[in-house]
Amino acid sequence: MDSKYYVTWEEYLAEHPELEGKPQQAIAPKIEKYEDAMFTFIMDLLL
């Protein structure tokens, strides 16, 4: 999916190399929560 706003954690990490070495266990759950919310929102719009 090409989106300006929706990215997976791996894509986000690739775009922001300054996060390398930061504790992923602290950052990843937040991004994944937004990822899940955005997916649910898009699915609700389609259904």
Side-chain angles (χ1 to χ4, degrees), residues 5-7 12-13 18 23 28 34 38 41-42:
Y5 303 103
Y6 180 80
V7 294
Y12 188 82
L13 192 58
E18 69 273 7
Y34 298 139
M38 190 61 130
F41 175 73
I42 291 169

Side-chain angles (χ1 to χ4, degrees), residues 4-5 8 12 14 20-21 23-25 27-28 30 33 42 44-46:
K4 180 177 173 182
Y5 303 103
T8 63
Y12 188 82
E20 196 64 42
Q24 289 187 7
Q25 63 273 17
I27 300 170
K30 294 178 184 177
K33 182 177 75 172
I42 291 169
D44 286 344
L45 288 176
L46 295 174

